[in-house]
Amino acid sequence: MDPLWYKDAVIYQLHVRSFFDANNDGYGDFEGLRQKLPYLEALGVDTLWLMPFFQSPLRDDGYDISDYYQILPVHGTLEDFKRFLDEAHDRGMKVIIELVLNHTSIDHPWFQEARKPNSPMRDFYVWSDTPEKYKGVRVIFQDFETSNWTFDPVAGAYYWHRFYWHQPDLNWDNPEVEKAMHQVMFFWADLGVDGFRLDAIPYLYEREGTSCENLPETIEAVKRLRKALEERYGPGKVLLAEANMWPEETLPYFGDGDGVHMAYNFPLMPRIFMALRREDRGPIETMLKETEGIPETAQWALFLRNHDELTLEKVTEEEREFLWEVYAPDPRFRINLGIRRRLMPLLGGDRRRFELLHALLFTLKGTPILYYGDEIGMGDNPFLGDRNGVRTPMQWSADRNAGFSRAPYHRLFLPPVSEGPYSYHFVNVEAQEQSPHSHLNFVRRLLAIRQRHAKTFGRGSLKLLPVENRRILAYLREHEGERILVVANLSRYTQALDLPLEEAQGLVPVELFSQSPFPPVEGPYRLTLGPHGFALFALTPKEAIRVQTPDWAEEAPPEEVPLVPLEEGPEVLFVETMKEERAQRAFLRALAQVLRDRSWLPLKPERVEVLDAIRLEKDPPLYLTLLELENHTRRTALLPIRYSPRREEAPGLFARTRPREGYLYELSQDPGFYAYLLKRLKEGLEARSLKAYYRGSHPGPLPQNLTLLRPGLAAGEGVWLQVGLVQDGGLDRTLEVLPRLDLPWVLPPKGRLLWERGKERRVLALTGDLPEGEPKEAFALAQALAAEGLSRLQGHPPEGLSPGLLAEALRELEALARLLGVRLALLHRSLAEVEGGFSLLNRGLGAFLALEGEVYLLALGPKEEGSPLMDLARLAYDLERAVELAWEDLEGAHPELPGLAAQFLVEGALLSAYRDTALEFSEEGWPEAMVAWAEAQLHREEKPARRRILERWREKAKATPGPQGP
Ligand code: NOJ
């Protein structure tokens, strides 16, 4: 264990009482908390701070302890506690509990004993015959108490209490008290807790003539506590000081690294709220500077809200007046020197402010603490007295009692918020898990980013950037070479800004939510941020930004190019009557090899035969070659092959010839070939080979630029051209059927290249009109969307991936899957009308083309036996493969990610969209169809991604009862 773990932690503060009631007695308990650990893990927090759960009369919500060694029975037993603790630890979570050292409840046996006349325990508390002692010491709970002294008739003396009258302060001048409290700490630490929050720590000692706060004696006691902890357990357990003080008063608690490990940044917290309302970074900047320079091993704990009032004790009077005025104009929300409201109501329910403040909480220097319920934007109830309004039950669902408890409503320890906009009917975990746009899912995403860069945010340096626009707070976090830039707009209006980023010149800001690179930093960096907007960037060297190249674009190095023995012209390789056996064999071997090595052909041929060829160009010779590919099955492919006497800087080189020096290129990846072919079609190509006529036409325009969307498919400027690289009869059917389909998203062919021999006819190429926009082939699009989506999920533990998160990250891909599901169903229906019977797509994603968010159908497959399920399986398979391939390119993403994503897409989106649209649909046989298709794909080519999909679907088919039932 890293002893400095607390520096990278994200803490979740909760009340066992308010969290989840497993035994339905109206109080949350340890068993309930244990059951909710998966929720917390999925949220992305890794440390829990539990508020007091010890024996107590609950007059101060448990901070009035009557037995430090007993768990309040409503929360369960010590066994329950241990079970919870073990499970939290198993999940990699740490647990911090309360050490209330300053006072006990009057019910504590120590006090009951101490008040008796002549009791030997008397010295455990602070007594006086007169309330005049320690005059001038402030009263903290000034709405409830008028003095720090209360007279006890049994003792016949006054006892000292800094908080409620029923919470007598322990007498730390008595070494027995200190010993007793060390024992309490040991008891819980022995059980395995990882740290202690030191409640009300500044008030341990009293000295006449002082404020009785932060006395040197108190600081020394804290150091002794740490020493005792480390002597017994070594490093690794932490102390967190609750010292609500000015900065210079808080710093001594850290000592020289021998005091507390952490202290709340009380000075910063209210200034965040100030800065937000003043729309000026000044208050934050000032406090960041004031709280600088703590020891290396120490850490601030950052928070926005907690179970107490938003304290305004340690701000100036003017600051307090301002904050009260803007955040609690209604006096009901004021208590003592603070504001008893939860975060969301404080922010007026404003989603933008909510996001902005969380962005600051998770990226400023320190360990963030999230108060339970704030992640879903829970509200408060001002009618509940004291600070109970911010301690209401966690809102799990819209069920009875907010899903917190099944107890009768009147038994609940506090009622859940059930009125107004924060009512549990609207604000609850269940609803927010469903929605990718919920507060909860936002916090999860932000936490995922925080966790991915935990060390930089937790330990990195913080440098404020002197942006001229004071509504902007910008800072650089840096740790071991990683640099993260945070820019936040405190204003409710859009702001423009120039970032002085001298040290980052040439680096590329990569936006952390989307992982998209921004323009590199050259000079001051100009940005605009919307109202209360913020942005997080990793400043990344250009070289580290990966550009994806499709694997089919990879070239074999020239020295590995095979040799074809050729003495005459290349016609001996293509023309049956001129064939030179040895040369042709070598040529076909080389061709088979290059076709195997490139991944885009759906069949990796063992053997290749020339069926027919026609020379389209004489110098240098260019052959359109009809080939038969064989590997278990046979396929016909049309490939353009050029012979060049000189070596060219062109793609597709696959063989060289000797002694007649020459080079053979396969041009299906060369956009130039497609432009050339289109031109020839436009001219009305007519040619004759030994076996057949070739006739071409293209009624559409001739674009200047054609882009290769994938081998076999090119498009540009209003035209598409598809070449039947895999001549499977699909183009014939496309030509015949597509013009008859009355579907607006179908692009029927206009031009063609026909191969005719007697009555036999084959379509080798098709052309057509393209709507405006930049075309993308659907598989490539799916892969790009998958890469984008998955990279947003990188670093997430898979247990944390709720459907909501997946939906948010994979939104674009999901939309594509849905659209495809709908379109496939519509297509099946139309094909059945036009062709009758089983009329199928018989193709996967490659049949579709996307333009400006619209998806068009370009081609059909051959008319073969099949079933609608098989078509669905093909699309599903392609979507899954897109995810798998994208994942293979992603570093450090969890191995379960593609499976989860695929399941979410395929079953959640594709299948359900299809089901909703199809007239008739039965899922029976669906897993089998997937397995069958995945198996067939493996026969084509064994690749890890294909294997993973097959395995996944085999598992799935096993788990799904077959047609005969389980
Ligand atoms: C600080 C706690 O946060 C607060 O809730 C409590 O009332 C006081 N300590 C007194 O115990």
Side-chain angles (χ1 to χ4, degrees):
M1 183 206 26
D2 179 351
L4 297 184
W5 60 267
Y6 51 90
K7 292 198 120 194
D8 317 321
V10 176
I11 303 179
Y12 189 85
Q13 173 192 358
L14 69 92
H15 220 343
V16 178
R17 189 142 53 251
S18 317
F19 211 55
F20 185 60
D21 176 14
N23 66 351
N24 298 323
D25 63 354
Y27 288 75
D29 39 45
F30 277 107
E31 176 52 23
L33 175 55
R34 192 188 65 77
Q35 290 176 20
K36 293 297 184 187
L37 284 174
Y39 167 78
L40 294 168
E41 207 180 346
L43 178 60
V45 300
D46 50 30
T47 303
L48 306 180
W49 150 27
L50 311 185
M51 292 158 62
F53 49 79
F54 316 97
Q55 189 66 262
S56 158
L58 299 188
R59 295 183 194 106
D60 182 20
D61 205 21
Y63 284 97
D64 49 330
I65 296 172
S66 56
D67 189 339
Y68 287 94
Y69 295 96
Q70 296 293 324
I71 289 179
L72 196 64
V74 287
H75 299 327
T77 61
L78 199 60
E79 279 315 304
D80 294 337
F81 173 78
K82 284 191 205 153
R83 230 172 123 216
F84 147 75
L85 187 64
D86 285 348
E87 189 169 328
H89 283 161
D90 286 347
R91 290 173 183 272
M93 287 188 185
K94 302 267 197 299
V95 176
I96 295 177
I97 67 167
E98 298 268 355
L99 196 56
V100 184
L101 314 144
N102 179 68
H103 48 265
T104 68
S105 161
I106 46 168
D107 292 8
H108 197 290
W110 292 341
F111 186 77
Q112 290 307 323
E113 202 44 49
R115 66 198 298 210
K116 291 183 189 154
N118 306 319
S119 163
M121 290 291 286
R122 176 63 65 103
D123 218 18
F124 252 58
Y125 295 86
V126 184
W127 301 95
S128 164
D129 295 334
T130 137
E132 297 303 306
K133 223 173 158 186
Y134 310 136
K135 224 167 162 76
V137 171
R138 71 181 176 125
V139 171
I140 298 170
F141 283 175
Q142 51 175 259
D143 283 3
F144 303 90
E145 304 292 338
T146 49
S147 164
N148 288 319
W149 292 108
T150 290
F151 185 73
D152 178 19
V154 179
Y158 291 88
Y159 59 89
W160 179 248
H161 56 86
R162 292 306 306 274
F163 296 96
Y164 285 117
W165 63 269
H166 52 74
Q167 284 167 309
D169 275 27
L170 286 160
N171 175 20
W172 275 73
D173 274 320
N174 178 354
E176 290 303 311
V177 165
E178 180 161 346
K179 217 155 96 202
M181 289 318 300
H182 283 199
Q183 289 310 318
V184 170
M185 178 172 77
F186 292 155
F187 174 80
W188 293 100
D190 283 352
L191 284 177
V193 306
D194 305 284
F196 298 90
R197 169 186 184 268
L198 307 180
D199 180 70
I201 197 72
Y203 318 108
L204 298 190
Y205 286 82
E206 300 77 28
R207 293 290 178 264
E208 199 59 75
T210 71
S211 66
C212 297
E213 298 182 1
N214 318 310
L215 298 182
E217 291 84 344
T218 298
I219 305 292
E220 285 313 308
V222 167
K223 291 185 178 169
R224 288 195 299 275
L225 199 66
R226 169 151 185 182
K227 194 154 169 269
L229 193 66
E230 273 176 7
E231 273 174 9
R232 193 170 166 113
Y233 306 100
K237 295 203 191 279
V238 305
L239 298 177
L240 164 59
E242 191 224 5
N244 180 6
M245 295 291 152
W246 294 96
E248 76 280 6
E249 293 167 343
T250 313
L251 293 173
Y253 287 91
F254 291 120
D256 294 322
D258 56 350
V260 292
H261 305 77
M262 286 198 280
Y264 296 93
N265 200 327
F266 274 106
L268 179 63
M269 183 275 297
R271 271 79 185 196
I272 294 180
F273 287 92
M274 267 198 91
L276 184 67
R277 276 315 276 259
R278 293 193 43 215
E279 304 195 0
D280 186 302
R281 66 169 182 259
I284 296 180
E285 244 174 20
T286 309
M287 279 306 139
L288 286 178
K289 286 185 188 143
E290 289 285 315
T291 54
E292 256 174 14
I294 60 175
E296 196 45 41
T297 54
Q299 177 81 324
W300 286 113
L302 305 180
F303 64 105
L304 296 169
R305 288 298 295 112
N306 60 23
H307 62 295
D308 287 327
E309 68 274 29
L310 190 170
T311 169
L312 303 176
E313 279 170 57
K314 301 295 168 175
V315 298
T316 67
E317 253 175 60
E318 304 91 307
E319 286 175 316
R320 185 178 313 126
E321 279 160 17
F322 173 80
L323 287 166
W324 255 339
E325 190 55 42
V326 295
Y327 285 110
D330 179 344
R332 271 184 318 170
F333 291 118
R334 301 184 186 175
I335 184 175
N336 301 323
L337 289 185
I339 303 171
R340 50 172 167 190
R341 298 227 75 178
R342 263 193 182 261
L343 181 64
M344 204 54 186
L346 276 174
L347 302 180
D350 182 349
R351 170 65 180 257
R352 287 180 174 152
R353 293 175 204 228
F354 174 90
E355 294 192 357
L356 175 66
L357 287 204
H358 279 94
L360 298 182
L361 175 67
F362 295 151
T363 61
L364 280 169
K365 205 170 171 181
T367 293
I369 303 181
L370 206 59
Y371 183 49
Y372 86 94
D374 280 352
E375 73 273 26
I376 56 171
M378 260 171 65
D380 44 38
N381 180 349
F383 301 107
L384 292 180
D386 200 343
R387 292 144 292 172
N388 291 332
V390 300
R391 300 171 180 178
T392 56
M394 179 69 177
Q395 296 174 189
W396 293 105
S397 72
D399 286 351
R400 178 151 68 100
N401 301 332
F404 157 74
S405 168
R406 305 279 310 154
Y409 179 76
H410 64 271
R411 291 256 168 79
L412 299 184
F413 81 99
L414 280 179
V417 174
S418 59
E419 296 290 331
Y422 303 105
S423 158
Y424 68 82
H425 296 103
F426 321 118
V427 178
N428 63 66
V429 170
E430 190 178 87
Q432 296 204 9
E433 281 188 329
Q434 305 300 320
S435 163
H437 316 294
S438 63
H439 294 87
L440 174 63
N441 275 317
F442 166 77
V443 173
R444 283 176 171 173
R445 285 195 291 279
L446 192 55
L447 273 181
I449 291 177
R450 158 99 198 180
Q451 296 290 25
R452 208 181 300 164
H453 305 280
K455 290 238 154 58
T456 302
F457 287 125
R459 306 188 189 197
S461 60
L462 183 146
K463 181 179 166 208
L464 289 162
L465 298 181
V467 180
E468 210 176 287
N469 183 343
R470 293 192 52 82
R471 305 199 184 280
I472 299 298
L473 174 68
Y475 43 93
L476 266 181
R477 305 295 321 270
E478 188 167 355
H479 182 71
E480 291 179 353
E482 182 175 69
R483 268 190 268 186
I484 294 183
L485 168 67
V486 181
V487 196
N489 178 9
L490 297 165
S491 160
R492 64 195 186 284
Y493 299 115
T494 301
Q495 299 289 319
L497 58 130
D498 282 326
L499 285 172
L501 278 175
E502 292 80 25
E503 62 271 76
Q505 295 301 307
L507 297 181
V508 178
V510 175
E511 198 281 317
L512 289 183
F513 280 91
S514 60
Q515 298 290 331
S516 33
F518 270 48
V521 181
E522 283 152 9
Y525 201 67
R526 178 157 297 182
L527 283 177
T528 25
L529 288 177
H532 295 309
F534 69 92
L536 313 177
F537 298 103
L539 298 177
T540 315
K542 275 198 193 113
E543 317 76 75
I545 296 190
R546 281 151 54 88
V547 184
Q548 292 198 359
T549 37
D551 50 2
W552 50 262
E554 275 164 25
E555 230 13 90
E559 58 282 9
E560 287 173 24
V561 171
L563 191 70
V564 173
L566 193 70
E567 304 204 353
E568 301 163 70
E571 55 282 354
V572 302
L573 305 176
F574 298 96
V575 183
E576 181 85 37
T577 50
M578 307 174 85
K579 182 159 84 181
E580 214 283 283
E581 284 274 355
R582 202 167 74 99
Q584 200 193 46
R585 266 205 314 275
F587 159 69
L588 292 176
R589 259 203 313 276
L591 194 55
Q593 184 182 320
V594 73
L595 297 182
R596 277 197 302 275
D597 291 349
R598 303 229 174 108
S599 69
W600 57 268
L601 268 188
L603 184 99
K604 304 281 124 181
E606 276 302 318
R607 249 169 33 81
V608 176
E609 288 297 325
V610 179
L611 291 180
D612 193 19
I614 184 168
R615 195 172 70 186
L616 288 183
E617 279 292 309
K618 190 169 174 195
D619 196 14
L622 169 64
Y623 280 90
L624 213 48
T625 321
L626 211 53
L627 300 164
E628 186 172 73
L629 314 181
E630 197 187 315
N631 184 356
H632 302 297
T633 60
R634 284 158 196 254
R635 287 285 177 122
T636 316
L638 181 75
L639 292 179
I641 294 172
R642 184 170 64 212
Y643 175 81
S644 177
R646 277 168 304 281
R647 178 91 194 258
E648 292 169 25
E649 277 309 307
L653 177 69
F654 70 94
R656 54 205 167 97
T657 61
R658 297 287 187 281
R660 185 185 167 117
E661 188 179 341
Y663 299 86
L664 285 160
Y665 296 86
E666 189 279 288
L667 297 184
S668 64
Q669 301 166 47
D670 182 354
F673 162 71
Y674 294 83
Y676 166 80
L677 182 63
L678 197 65
K679 189 165 136 269
R680 292 295 305 269
L681 295 179
K682 177 92 195 161
E683 290 162 5
L685 183 149
E686 295 262 350
R688 168 80 221 196
S689 73
L690 271 183
K691 290 185 181 152
Y693 280 104
Y694 289 72
R695 292 183 213 281
S697 65
H698 169 59
L702 261 194
Q704 296 282 324
N705 292 305
L706 268 192
T707 312
L708 187 60
L709 303 182
R710 63 165 159 77
L713 181 60
E717 299 170 38
V719 174
W720 58 267
L721 165 65
Q722 175 150 212
V723 176
L725 280 179
V726 181
Q727 227 298 343
D728 54 7
L731 292 189
D732 295 84
R733 185 162 162 251
T734 301
L735 187 59
E736 188 194 317
V737 178
L738 282 201
R740 291 157 59 200
L741 294 187
D742 190 17
L743 295 169
W745 41 272
V746 162
L747 299 180
K750 295 258 171 84
R752 67 205 60 172
L753 174 62
L754 293 180
W755 181 94
E756 289 170 346
R757 176 191 169 91
K759 288 208 170 105
E760 214 183 318
R761 197 183 79 158
R762 280 171 167 179
V763 182
L764 303 184
L766 291 173
T767 75
D769 296 342
L770 195 68
E772 239 175 75
E774 204 190 307
K776 288 205 175 76
E777 191 253 347
F779 187 81
L781 173 68
Q783 205 181 326
L785 296 180
E788 245 174 64
L790 293 186
S791 66
R792 290 179 197 135
L793 295 170
Q794 219 169 349
H796 260 292
E799 318 76 64
L801 290 175
S802 63
L805 261 189
L806 284 170
E808 169 69 19
L810 298 170
R811 184 165 2 163
E812 295 84 355
L813 189 56
E814 191 203 11
L816 177 67
R818 262 184 211 293
L819 190 64
L820 287 168
V822 171
R823 298 228 153 145
L824 184 66
L826 295 177
L827 184 67
H828 280 158
R829 205 189 295 175
S830 295
L831 286 174
E833 279 164 17
V834 171
E835 291 188 315
F838 266 140
S839 280
L840 301 162
L841 172 65
N842 267 321
R843 291 188 76 147
L845 268 182
F848 293 93
L849 195 68
L851 277 131
E852 311 295 303
E854 193 40 280
V855 169
Y856 295 93
L857 177 73
L858 267 192
L860 294 170
K863 198 167 181 179
E864 279 172 7
E865 290 285 296
S867 72
L869 278 184
M870 225 11 146
D871 277 355
L872 205 48
R874 282 191 187 92
L875 286 188
Y877 184 84
D878 282 357
L879 283 171
E880 295 210 359
R881 213 159 72 84
V883 170
E884 287 285 352
L885 295 178
W887 177 77
E888 281 177 6
D889 280 343
L890 209 66
E891 272 156 40
H894 201 282
E896 284 169 44
L897 196 52
L900 287 170
Q903 184 179 343
F904 165 74
L905 279 174
V906 171
E907 282 167 49
L910 179 73
L911 196 57
S912 72
Y914 183 89
R915 189 193 301 120
D916 292 346
T917 317
L919 291 179
E920 276 173 48
F921 175 65
S922 144
E923 252 169 74
E924 212 171 84
W926 155 251
E928 290 79 0
M930 264 305 276
V931 172
W933 184 250
E935 260 163 6
Q937 299 314 298
L938 214 55
H939 287 147
R940 282 175 156 193
E941 186 190 4
E942 170 90 40
K943 284 259 171 143
R946 294 181 191 268
R947 164 117 345 248
R948 287 195 295 270
I949 301 176
L950 176 61
E951 272 158 22
R952 198 150 65 223
W953 277 91
R954 281 202 179 127
E955 282 302 306
K956 175 96 197 151
K958 254 193 271 160
T960 321
Q964 303 81 356

